[in-house]
Amino acid sequence: MAALTQDRNTLRRDAVQFEFPVAANTVLYAGSIGCINSSGLAVPGAATATLKAIGRIEERADNTGGPRARSARSSDGAVTASPTAAPPT
C-alpha cells in the first residue's frame, strides 16, 4: 500500500486506549497504521523490522516542526492525537 497523504476511514473495534508520543516532524493520518520506533515514539506504519505496530490511527496527529509536541492515544490499536505524553516504559 502506498503512503497516505490524507485521512482514511478505517473500521475499528472499541477497546482500551493507550498513549504514545509522536516523533518529531511526523504526520500520522487518521485511518492509517501506526507504529512505535526504537525510541518509543509513534511513526507511520512501514514494513521494517525495527518498528512495532500499535494499530489504526484514530485522529490525525501532526507534529510537523515540533520535537514531541503531540502524542497519540491508541484503542484496540486505534491512535488519537492528545496532549504530550512520555514514551512508554
Side-chain angles (χ1 to χ4, degrees), residues 35-79:
C35 291
I36 55 172
N37 62 20
S38 59
S39 298
L41 303 174
V43 296
T48 305
T50 59
L51 299 179
K52 294 183 181 177
I54 55 175
R56 176 185 168 273
I57 305 297
E58 180 71 16
E59 293 178 11
R60 180 188 301 219
D62 187 346
N63 195 20
T64 303
R68 228 182 3 172
R70 305 288 310 256
S71 74
R73 203 171 39 229
S74 170
S75 67
D76 79 335
V79 180

Side-chain angles (χ1 to χ4, degrees), residues 3-27:
L4 293 179
T5 58
Q6 62 186 8
D7 296 339
R8 178 179 187 273
N9 184 17
T10 305
L11 300 177
R12 73 176 187 94
R13 291 185 299 232
D14 286 329
V16 178
Q17 293 188 337
F18 304 95
E19 285 196 21
F20 301 94
V22 178
N25 297 309
T26 299
V27 177

